[in-house]
Amino acid sequence: MDKLAIIGGRALYGEIPISGAKNSALKLMAASLLTDAPLTLSNVPRLADVDMLLRLLEQHGAAHAFENSTLTLQAKDIVSTEAPYDLVRKMRATFNVLGPLLAREGKAKVSLPGGCAIGARPVDLHLKALAAMGADIDLDEGYVIAQAPDGLKGADISLPFVSVGATEHTMLAATLAKGETTIENAAREPEIADLADCLNAMGAQIEGAGTSTIRIDGVDRLGGASHRVLPDRIETGAYAMAVGATGGELTLKGATAELLGAAWAALEEVGLYLEETDGGVRVKKTGARLKTIDIVTQPFPGFPTDLQAQFMALMATAEGAATIKETIFENRFMHAPELSRMGANISVDGQTATVRGVARLKGAPVMATDLRASMSLVIAALAAEGQTMVNRVYHLDRGFERLEEKLQRCGALIERVKE
Ligand code: EPZ
C-alpha cells in the first residue's frame, strides 16, 4: 500500500487547478444509464472512484471513452440490470444506478452498499422514494430487488431530513416517471443543481434544483447532452485550509466562491484572506497565527461535513479553543486521535470535538480510514515540524486528483512511497 512522505514547515505559493467535483461526476455518470444516446461530460476528475463506477456502468452495457478529462458514455442497450456486491460494496455512490435502471428497464437488482467508516449510512430514504413512485421493492440476500414493469409514476416525496443521495436518486428516477414528482426538504448542495442542469440538457423537465422544493415532470425519453462538471468545492476548501496551516498564497484556478457556502465565511473569520478573481479564488495567509472559531456541520449552505476533518487540522495550531460539532454523520472523528499523535490537543465528547490550538504539530506516522480524514492529516503534515508518513493513500486517490503533484508544484515536500 502506497504512503505519502511529507516534510512540513514550507509555505505554499503558486497555482492549483481545481478539478471537477467527484460527488457531482459520479451522479452525472449514473445519468448516462437513462438514455441510449451519448452523454459527454467534461472536467471529470480521474479518480479511483470514477474508475470504479466506470467498471460498473460497463457491465450494465455503457461503453465509454475517457480522454484527458472528457468522458463520453453511451448505454445503447442495457445488457444487465444487476449491480453485483463486489462492485457496489467498495463505493456507495454506485447504488445510484438503481433508480436509472428501474426507470429505463422497469427492473433492477442492486447490492445494498452496507455501512462505511463514517457511519451506518442507510439507504432507506432512497428506497421509500422509489416505492412511492410505484416500485415494488424486496430485499433478498443483501440485494435490493426492484420492479416497476409498467414504469414509475410521479409522487410527492417529503424527505424527513436532508439527504443529498436520496434527493439525487429520486431526481434521476423521476425524470422518466409518468407525471409529476415533487421533492420537499430536498438537499440544496451545488451538486444537485449540477445534476439537474445536465438532466435538463438531456431533455428532462426539472425545476427548483438548488432550493428545498424540486419539481420533476416526467418525460418519455431522454437524449444525449454535453455537460461540464462543476468545480470541486471540497478540494477548493481543503487547499485553502492547507494555506491556512502553512502560510503562503495560492490561486485556486477554476474555483468558485459561492460553492464554499459557510466555509468561505469561516475561513475569513479565522484570519485567511480570500478573494474571488476572474479565474478562480486567491487565498493568502500572512504572519499572524489563525484564530479559533466554533463550527457545526450542516447541509448546504452550512459548513460542509466533508470539510470538517480538514478544519480540525487547521484549528489544531490556531490560537485559542474551537468546538467542532458533527451533525451529519455519527462517526466522523477518526482523524482526531491521529491528529493527536502529531501533538494536537483534541478531546471528543459524542458529536463534539474540542480543539485547543498548540504552537506546533510534530510529524508522525499516521493513517486514516476515509478520504477527508486523510486530507486532514496531509494538511497537518504540511504544517508540522519534521516528517509525517500518511499511510493508506488509496483513500486520497479516491477523491483528490493528482494531490502530490499539485502540492509539489507549490513548494510542498511531499513524495509518494510505493510499497
Ligand atoms: C453525500 O453522501 C456525499 N457523497 C458525501 O461525501 C457527503 O458527506 C454527504 O453527501 C453529505 O454532504 C457523495 O456524494 C458520493 P446524505 P450521501 O444522504 O448522499 C443519512 C465524501 O467524502 N441517510 O446527505 O450518502 C446518512 O446516513 C462523501 O466525498 C439515511 O439515514 O449523504 C447521513 O447521516 C462522504 N437514510 C445523512 O442522512 C438514507 O436513505 C445525510 O446523508 C440516506 C441518508
Side-chain angles (χ1 to χ4, degrees), residues 22-23 26-27 92-93 118 121-126 161-166 189 305-306 328-330 332 371-372:
K22 164 185 83 95
N23 286 347
L26 296 172
K27 324 303 164 61
R92 298 180 52 82
I118 60 177
R121 299 183 79 187
V123 286
D124 54 325
L125 300 181
H126 302 229
F161 49 88
V162 171
S163 161
V164 174
E189 269 64 7
T305 174
D306 288 350
I328 309 291
F329 292 108
E330 66 273 21
R332 209 173 193 184
L371 166 61
R372 311 301 174 186

Side-chain angles (χ1 to χ4, degrees), residues 8-27:
R10 307 248 307 205
L12 297 170
Y13 286 96
E15 194 174 272
I16 291 187
I18 296 301
S19 299
K22 164 185 83 95
N23 286 347
S24 201
L26 296 172
K27 324 303 164 61

